[in-house]
Every structure is written in structure tokens, then in C-alpha cells.
Amino acid sequence: MQVLTKRYPKNCLLTVMDRYSAEVHNMEQVVMIPSLLRDVQLSGHGGQAQAEAPDLYTYFTMLKAICVDVEHGLLPREEWQAKVAGSEAEEAKNGTAETEEVEDESASGELELEAQFHLHFSSLHHILMHLTKKAQEVTRKYQEMTGQVW
């Protein structure tokens, strides 16, 4: 299990990012055969699987991919836009395309920078804490499946 080496205040974004990174690395060390996670659902409330929820393998690969971004930074803007454009094209086929980027920029331009910062900062903090819990759940479930629970 990876131990946090840096000390920041408890709710500091850097602490949350370090905790997430440590949990994902721990998950990677524990999950030796990721393919065992295919078609296995996390139990919801009451022990029942959530309807149409991704399987643990999907969570495993998503958590690893996000961890790379957290540790190494964002993709260059051109690569990110190409990736987003591909997903927007898929959404357009399904009839659920979002509003144009220009409209988003004008709407977000109306907010003050400090308000935008606090909105995105709190959202990122919340998402990273949620993803950390998902990494812990994937690790725990894999340990249960392989009989590694102590």
C-alpha cells in the first residue's frame, strides 16, 4: 500500500489528488488480473447491483486513465479538442449534442473569474474524492473475489 509522503492541509486539493493517486496505485498493485473484473458489478445499497452501471473493469481502466492526467497534466489542447470532438460527434448521432462551444464561452465569460475558480475547484475536489472511493471499492471487491480479505 502506498503511503502519502507530502503533508498538506486535510482539504487541500493537493492532498485529495495525492490520496487519489495513492489509492489508484494501490488498486493497480492489488489487482493482478484485471480481466477478472469484467462483468462484475459493484453492489449498490442493499447488496443489489446498480442498473446499467459500468462493470469493475470499466472503473479500473477509467481510474487508471484519470490518474495519468492527475499525475502528468492535461493533454495538449489540440489533442483534448480532438478527443472531445469525437465524443461530441457520437452525441450528435444520438441527438443529445451539447450547445456550441461559443455559447459556453460567452455564458462562462459572464461569471467572475473567482466564482468560476471556486465552482471548478469544489467540483474537482468532489470528483476526486468520489473517484478515490471508487478505487477503494474496486480494490475491496477484487480482494473479496480472490479471497485476499483479511
Side-chain angles (χ1 to χ4, degrees), residues 52-76:
E52 298 187 31
D55 64 4
L56 292 180
Y57 183 80
T58 303
Y59 279 122
F60 179 81
T61 55
M62 175 194 65
L63 293 165
K64 283 178 46 176
I66 292 171
C67 190
V68 169
D69 289 342
V70 168
E71 292 177 342
H72 300 289
L74 295 174
L75 290 172

Side-chain angles (χ1 to χ4, degrees), residues 86-146:
S87 65
E88 285 178 355
E90 183 67 29
E91 289 176 358
K93 279 196 264 183
N94 297 332
T96 60
E98 296 293 324
T99 58
E100 294 294 318
E101 184 178 339
V102 175
E103 293 175 17
D104 289 342
E105 287 178 336
S106 66
S108 65
E110 295 172 9
L111 293 175
E112 294 180 24
L113 288 176
E114 185 178 5
Q116 287 182 28
F117 170 78
H118 286 290
L119 172 69
H120 293 295
F121 183 83
S122 64
S123 296
L124 179 60
H125 192 278
H126 174 76
I127 289 167
L128 284 170
M129 290 183 65
H130 181 75
L131 291 173
T132 300
K133 289 178 184 176
K134 285 294 181 193
Q136 291 169 341
E137 291 174 14
V138 169
T139 303
R140 179 191 51 78
K141 186 68 172 179
Y142 181 85
Q143 288 174 324
E144 286 176 7
M145 290 170 48
T146 59

